[in-house]
Each structure stands twice: as C-alpha cells, then as structure tokens.
C-alpha cells in the first residue's frame, strides 16, 4: 500500500513552526501579525472556510478580523474596505474570500489589494513574480502542495508532472512553480484541462499527478501508472444514498491508492495545507514589513 500523505499532521507541524516565529516577532519587534478577512455574502462553504481561517490565526498568535458584507454590497463598497486595510499598518495580510457575488468584478477587487499584503497571492503583481521566479506571495494551495512534496522527500527534479486543471488559483501557478529551475521543481510539466481530448493518455505517463478540477471520480485506476505519486486537490461534496453528505476529491481513492506510491486523502490532504500556508504567508508579510 502507498504512503498516505498526512496533510493534517503536516499542517499541524507548520502551524507549530509559524506559532514559534510569531512569538519571536512579537518578542523582538513588538509586532503582532494581523490578517483581515472579507466575506461577501453567505455562501455556506465560504462562511466555514473564513471562520476556520480566523480560528487558525488565533491558534498561532496572529490577530485576525473578519468583516462580513451582505451579498448585495456594491463593488465600490468592497473596494473601499480593501483600501482602508491597505492604509492600516496593523493589517499585514488581506484576504478577500472567493468566489465573490457575480455583480462584483473579482479582478478589479484583487488588483486593489496592496501586493505586499496579498497573502492569497492572487494580485497580478504576485502572479507575475511567481511566473518569473521572484519572491512574492505563492497562492496557498500550490504552496501547500510544494510543502507536501518537500517534507515527504518526493523528488520532482527530472520527473514528469501532469497537472489536471488550469485555474489561476491552483493549476496554472503550480505548473509554473514545478517547471522552475529550483527545488521543488525542475520537472517536466504537462497541463491537461477541459480541452484535452484524452486526459488518461497523459496522466498514464506521469510520475506525479496533481488533479485540481473539482470533479469527483475524474481520476480512476486507469489514469495511473504503477508507483505514481497522486496529489488530489479536488474538494467535492457528494450526497450519499442515505441523504448524508461527505467530502471527496477528484480521485477514486479506493481504486487508485493500491497503484500509487504515495497519495493524498480527501479530507485531510491538501485542504489543511492550504489553511496552514495562509498563516505562513501572513507571517511572511509581517516579517517583510518589519524589515522595511
Ligand atoms: C480537508 C476552497 C474551492 C473554492 C473556494 C481542509 C479546507 C478544505 C478541505 C479549506 C477552499 C478549499 C478553501 C479540507 C479553503 C480548501 O480536510 O480536506 C481545509 O478550508 N480550504 C477556500 O477558502 O476557498 C475555496 C475551495
């Protein structure tokens, strides 16, 4: 059976490391890192995500403030909130929970965030820095995947990675990061997406498969070559026959795990790492500010 990559345990380790460094920053500079989170509307999943991110902050000594605006808030109201936080020196990180209601231009909102406070790494400046290998902020999910590969000593150099999914949040940045000449990285990267006629044809040749699509059962045993590493970024809520719901990934875990050399579960895989790397990015933002 494969190595189960334990995202909960790894995230707990990272939270511990962040907590120590936060305490250090408080002791040496009198600076408490602060994260402000904006939630627009009442999407149940988003509400839970934001609440958990706030709790995570509390657990490591990062100050957090959650502001909720109604789904009817205007784009200008959202922008005004971000601008106020840009101007506030006690706010080191700004997170606008996505997705935003349809009448709000997401790109315009993300462009408004000060790139040095952009702990989600979604500002075009940080996307551009990532693309050319400069230190900006790496989006939390790709960052979490890199940490999983590093801390489980999974070699990427010279390997063939197939990323399924091309979102700006996961697929595209992760593919770029893994192709770069550094560690982890230096991989040959293939990106598959909805325009790929036969995804399995590509994934069967992969040493490492990352699926970030959001489609339960997309990756089956037939997609995997023996001994591949499987990273499941998908988070899908499905309803069982008895009416209860559960979280599953993109990967048919029961069928794929026996063929894999290492695999991430859902829940308890990449998801907790996403949350942990937000704390790391917020700490980094505060440290960079302290050094200015
Ligand atoms: C787990 C997210 C889609 C759209 C917007 C742990 C999270 C999820 C799962 C979590 C996600 C997904 C987040 C698990 C944050 C990841 O144990 O499997 C943690 O909190 N996530 C988000 O903030 O916005 C999203 C997915």
């Amino acid at each position: 059976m494969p190595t189960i990559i334990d995202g909960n345990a790894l995230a707990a380790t990272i939270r511990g490391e962040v907590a120590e460094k936060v305490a250090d920053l408080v002791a040496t500079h009198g600076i408490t890192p602060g994260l402000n989170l904006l939630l627009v509307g009442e999407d149940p999943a988003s509400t839970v995500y934001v609440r958990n991110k706030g709790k995570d902050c509390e657990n490591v000594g990062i100050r957090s403030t959650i502001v909720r605006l109604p789904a009817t808030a205007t784009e200008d109201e959202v922008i005004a909130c971000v601008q106020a936080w840009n101007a506030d020196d006690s706010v080191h990180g700004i997170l606008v929970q996505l997705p935003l209601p349809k009448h709000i231009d997401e790109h315009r909102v993300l462009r408004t965030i000060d790139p040095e406070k952009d702990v989600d790494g979604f500002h075009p400046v940080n996307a551009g820095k990532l693309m050319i290998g400069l230190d900006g902020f790496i989006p939390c999910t790709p960052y979490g995947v890199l940490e999983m590969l590093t801390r489980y000593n999974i070699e990427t150099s010279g390997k063939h990675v197939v990323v399924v999914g091309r979102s700006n949040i996961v697929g595209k940045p992760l593919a770029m990061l893994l192709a770069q000449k550094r560690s982890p990285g230096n991989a040959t990267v293939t990106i598959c997406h909805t325009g790929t006629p036969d995804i399995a044809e590509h994934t069967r040749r992969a040493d490492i498969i990352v699926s970030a699509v959001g489609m339960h059962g997309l990756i089956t045993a037939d997609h995997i070559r023996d001994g591949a590493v499987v990273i499941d970024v998908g988070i899908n809520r499905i309803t069982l026959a008895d009416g209860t719901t559960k979280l599953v990934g993109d990967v048919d875990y029961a069928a794929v795990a026996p063929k894999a050399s290492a695999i991430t579960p859902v829940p308890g895989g990449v998801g907790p790492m996403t949350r942990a790397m937000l704390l790391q990015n917020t700490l980094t933002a505060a440290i960079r500010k302290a050094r200015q």
Side-chain angles (χ1 to χ4, degrees):
M1 284 309 271
T3 301
I4 313 295
I5 301 175
D6 188 341
N8 283 324
L10 216 47
T13 301
I14 290 168
R15 282 195 300 274
E17 293 169 5
V18 170
E20 267 186 42
K21 289 177 188 142
V22 167
D24 247 30
L25 193 64
V26 173
T28 59
H29 290 75
I31 295 172
T32 302
L35 175 65
N36 279 29
L37 306 106
L38 179 58
L39 174 61
V40 186
E42 279 103 63
D43 176 71
S46 292
T47 304
V48 172
Y49 291 147
V50 167
R51 192 194 306 137
N52 286 338
K53 291 172 192 180
K55 281 187 203 153
D56 288 342
C57 286
E58 195 179 310
N59 284 333
V60 300
I62 293 174
R63 178 199 59 71
S64 74
T65 303
I66 299 174
V67 168
R68 294 179 177 78
L69 290 178
T72 53
T74 65
E75 190 174 297
D76 286 344
E77 286 174 300
V78 171
I79 298 265
C81 181
V82 170
Q83 284 171 335
W85 293 351
N86 283 343
D88 183 339
D89 278 341
S90 73
V91 179
H92 301 99
I94 296 174
L95 183 147
V96 177
Q97 182 66 36
L98 302 182
L100 286 168
K102 281 197 241 345
H103 65 279
I104 297 176
D105 178 356
E106 212 159 86
H107 289 292
R108 189 175 162 230
V109 172
L110 295 178
R111 258 197 334 264
T112 305
I113 299 172
D114 178 347
E116 306 204 338
K117 299 187 179 189
D118 173 38
V119 289
D120 254 344
F122 296 157
H123 189 286
V125 163
N126 285 314
K129 284 184 168 181
L130 182 150
M131 180 81 153
I132 62 176
L134 297 179
D135 279 337
F137 288 103
I138 300 175
C140 299
T141 301
Y143 195 4
V145 172
L146 295 187
E147 284 297 314
M148 289 177 128
L149 296 171
T150 302
R151 292 174 187 241
Y152 273 82
N153 293 313
I154 294 168
E155 182 62 76
T156 57
S157 184
K159 303 295 183 184
H160 183 202
V161 180
V162 175
V163 176
V164 188
R166 59 176 153 189
S167 71
N168 291 328
I169 294 174
V170 185
K172 235 187 281 178
L174 184 59
M176 282 302 138
L177 289 160
L178 288 170
Q180 278 169 4
K181 194 162 187 172
R182 54 153 103 149
S183 180
N186 206 35
T188 305
V189 179
T190 300
I191 304 178
C192 296
H193 45 70
T194 45
T196 307
D198 186 356
I199 288 175
E201 175 194 332
H202 299 277
T203 56
R204 272 198 292 267
R205 295 171 42 241
D207 300 301
I208 302 171
I209 296 161
V210 182
S211 186
V213 172
M215 193 185 288
H216 171 49
L218 178 71
I219 306 297
T220 64
D222 192 45
H223 287 73
I224 306 294
R225 99 163 155 212
D226 275 319
V229 173
V230 180
I231 309 289
D232 191 352
V233 185
I235 296 183
N236 311 293
R237 186 165 289 281
I238 60 164
T239 305
L240 302 176
D242 66 1
T244 61
T245 69
K246 73 166 181 171
L247 280 191
V248 295
D250 292 344
V251 175
D252 180 349
Y253 186 90
V256 167
K259 284 182 85 176
S261 62
I263 188 166
T264 64
V266 177
V270 176
M273 293 298 289
T274 297
R275 275 166 59 181
M277 301 330 289
L278 173 64
L279 303 174
Q280 175 62 62
N281 275 347
T282 304
L283 169 64
T284 299
I287 290 174
R288 286 181 185 163
K289 178 88 194 324
R291 288 195 182 136
Q292 272 175 8

